[in-house]
């Protein structure tokens, strides 16, 4: 593949920063990477989106930009999640087509799968029933990305695709306690609990189960998808089913990494959300059998250290 110009939307976020770190570690004369934040272009705005595509003339797009948040932000803003993500996705795919972009890799999520389902979930099941009500806006907007990919292929012959990561965490995450995902939220709470010598409160019962993927592993896999995966249908990017942990186990890893020795409490008045969304990575494993995921405790240790080292500048 020669002279790829890769435009990464959402390049300032958790996943975008990890991809930037990965590609900058192994620079190539045949690749130019452009990482966008919302300051470069508000992708809700069709004209601003067109302008940034005209400016950069990408041949490839990794589309990460989205309104993103954990369970509690989704519960509050379902309508915004739906509308903002539909608009961003429509603008990015339309401009990609008009700019002659040969490949777009967009990001779905395992939380968009049907709520009532059999396990493990796989790529064929995205549209098989309503999502969990807590994040229906986000889920339907993300599902439409897959529908758009299919339609753009049918009508224009374009090979735009999507990846389906499980819960992601790592450096540069959104560590907001109210709005962020569980691991960055717990990392922030453990930092404060240790600093202020108070108890750490985990929300919900701690029994829901999640597969967590380290952003640095996900970055390698998304770049691999961009260069090597040619289906229109999505591909799940997940650790093995055996690596699924409960929220309680995840909290214990954070406690260990932070060196927090105070009491840990569970606030069961807070929602648990989906009990589990166990995903199969069989498709990935068939194509990339030898990929080694970072052990979760190591990834949590690195993220806790990153947060402490960058406390003043981290998103929170
Ligand atoms: P993130 O850290 O919250 O970053 C979001 C990115 O989107 C930022 O770069 C942000 O720019 C950009 N953005 C948001 N609204 C925008 C707008 N109107 N115009 C332009 N840019 C905008 O998110 P992330 O966790 O990296 O997520 C990346 C992708 O992975 C998303 O598509 C998400 O749905 C998907 N995903 C995430 C997870 C997870 O657990 N985090 C799991 C599965 C899938 P600013 O920095 O300028 O605000
Ligand atoms: P989800 O995986 O899409 O449901 O979203 P989250 O990353 O927000 O994870 C939500 C799960 O973690 C629920 O079971 C919550 O009850 C639990 N949880 C425990 N403590 C926290 C916390 O501090 N923040 C968040 N967001 N969730 C928490």
């Amino acid at each position: 593949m020669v002279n790829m110009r890769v435009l990464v939307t959402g390049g300032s976020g958790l996943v975008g920063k990890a991809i930037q770190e990965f590609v900058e570690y192994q620079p190539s004369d045949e690749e130019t990477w452009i990482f966008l934040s919302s300051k470069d272009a508000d992708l809700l705005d069709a004209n601003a989106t067109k302008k940034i595509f005209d400016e950069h003339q990408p041949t490839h797009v990794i589309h990460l930009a989205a309104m993103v948040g954990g369970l509690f932000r989704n519960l509050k803003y379902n309508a915004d999640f739906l509308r903002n993500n539909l608009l961003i996705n429509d603008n990015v795919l339309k401009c990609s087509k008009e700019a002659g972009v040969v490949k777009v890799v967009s990001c779905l999520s395992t939380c968009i799968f049907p709520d009532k389902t059999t396990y493990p979930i796989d790529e064929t099941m995205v549209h098989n029933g309503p999502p969990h009500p807590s994040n229906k806006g986000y889920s339907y907007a993300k599902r439409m990305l897959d529908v758009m990919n299919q339609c753009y292929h049918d009508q224009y012959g374009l090979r735009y695709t999507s990846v389906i990561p499980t819960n992601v965490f790592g450096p540069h995450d959104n560590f907001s306690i109210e709005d962020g995902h569980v691991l960055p939220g717990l990392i922030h709470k453990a930092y404060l609990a240790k600093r202020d010598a108070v108890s750490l409160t985990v929300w919900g019962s701690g029994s829901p189960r999640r597969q967590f993927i380290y952003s640095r592993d996900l970055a390698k896999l998304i770049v691999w998808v961009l260069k090597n995966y040619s289906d229109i249908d999505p591909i799940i990017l997940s650790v093995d089913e055996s690596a699924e942990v409960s929220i309680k186990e995840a909290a214990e890893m954070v406690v260990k990494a932070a060196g927090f020795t105070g009491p840990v409490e569970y606030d069961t008045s807070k929602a648990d959300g989906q009990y589990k969304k166990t995903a199969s990575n069989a498709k990935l494993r068939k194509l990339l059998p030898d990929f080694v995921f970072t052990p979760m405790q190591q990834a949590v240790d690195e993220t806790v250290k990153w947060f402490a080292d960058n406390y003043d500048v981290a998103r929170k």
Side-chain angles (χ1 to χ4, degrees):
M1 213 177 274
V2 274
N3 297 332
M4 289 168 74
R5 284 181 64 76
V6 189
L7 189 70
V8 182
T9 73
S12 53
L14 163 66
V15 181
K17 283 283 188 191
I19 293 177
Q20 186 169 22
E21 186 183 280
F22 176 60
V23 298
E24 284 178 355
Y25 186 68
Q26 40 173 26
S28 159
D29 290 344
E30 294 176 347
E31 296 173 11
T32 305
W33 289 78
I34 304 126
F35 291 87
L36 298 181
S37 79
S38 64
K39 292 184 192 71
D40 300 303
D42 179 0
L43 301 174
L44 288 165
D45 178 335
N47 291 327
T49 311
K50 181 167 174 3
K51 202 161 158 255
I52 202 85
F53 272 75
D54 287 348
E55 183 185 336
H56 292 294
Q57 302 281 316
T59 58
H60 294 68
V61 170
I62 295 179
H63 173 38
L64 307 172
M67 180 174 178
V68 179
L71 168 63
F72 297 93
R73 188 174 190 215
N74 274 274
L75 282 167
K76 277 191 283 188
Y77 302 116
N78 257 312
D80 292 349
F81 272 97
L82 177 68
R83 187 156 186 276
N84 290 348
N85 286 322
L86 284 172
L87 280 171
I88 290 174
N89 298 339
D90 186 44
N91 287 334
V92 169
L93 260 61
K94 178 171 180 282
C95 287
S96 296
K97 176 186 88 67
E98 289 173 356
V101 170
V102 293
K103 185 157 182 185
V104 180
V105 178
S106 299
C107 226
L108 314 184
S109 165
T110 49
C111 64
I112 72 165
F113 277 91
D115 182 33
K116 307 261 181 297
T117 185
T118 52
Y119 297 99
I121 45 187
D122 68 40
E123 291 84 352
T124 66
M125 297 156 78
V126 173
H127 303 285
N128 284 0
H132 193 270
S134 58
N135 61 359
K136 64 164 99 67
Y138 178 82
S139 297
Y140 279 115
K142 288 287 186 182
R143 287 182 186 191
M144 286 309 293
L145 260 176
D146 175 54
V147 175
M148 289 167 81
N149 287 339
Q150 307 291 340
C151 291
Y152 275 51
H153 180 248
D154 293 348
Q155 189 173 340
Y156 307 118
L158 289 167
R159 305 203 66 80
Y160 295 172
T161 191
S162 58
V163 295
I164 311 182
T166 49
N167 287 54
V168 191
F169 71 100
H172 303 280
D173 208 339
N174 176 5
F175 291 87
S176 158
I177 292 173
E178 287 303 317
D179 289 340
H181 289 98
V182 54
L183 269 177
L186 288 174
I187 288 170
H188 190 178
K189 287 197 260 187
Y191 177 92
L192 297 178
K194 185 179 175 190
R195 187 192 67 187
D196 302 337
V198 294
S199 60
L200 165 64
T201 305
V202 181
W203 291 344
S205 66
S207 57
R209 302 183 66 76
R210 298 288 184 266
Q211 284 155 299
F212 291 97
I213 184 168
Y214 192 29
S215 58
R216 288 172 171 161
D217 294 341
L218 181 60
K220 292 180 196 165
L221 290 173
I222 291 178
V223 173
W224 171 81
V225 166
L226 182 75
K227 295 181 179 177
N228 299 288
Y229 178 80
S230 52
D231 288 5
I232 312 300
D233 290 336
I235 180 166
I236 290 174
L237 302 181
S238 172
V239 297
D240 300 332
E241 287 160 57
S242 58
E244 186 177 60
V245 296
S246 66
I247 297 296
K248 182 168 187 284
E249 288 165 324
E252 285 164 359
M253 289 188 203
V254 171
V255 163
K256 185 172 175 203
F260 176 69
T261 51
V264 178
E265 292 162 1
Y266 286 80
D267 179 354
T268 52
S269 71
K270 293 273 194 184
D272 265 347
Q274 263 172 300
Y275 174 63
K276 65 176 186 174
K277 36 190 175 177
T278 318
S280 163
N281 66 4
K283 187 173 185 177
L284 174 68
R285 281 292 186 209
K286 197 164 169 210
L287 295 168
L288 205 60
D290 299 327
F291 188 82
V292 179
F293 289 93
T294 308
M296 187 168 162
Q297 183 69 60
Q298 179 189 329
V300 170
D301 290 349
E302 289 177 14
T303 309
V304 165
K305 181 171 181 332
W306 185 90
F307 180 67
D309 291 348
N310 293 276
Y311 184 73
D312 291 339
V313 292
R315 273 188 296 163
K316 53 185 185 318

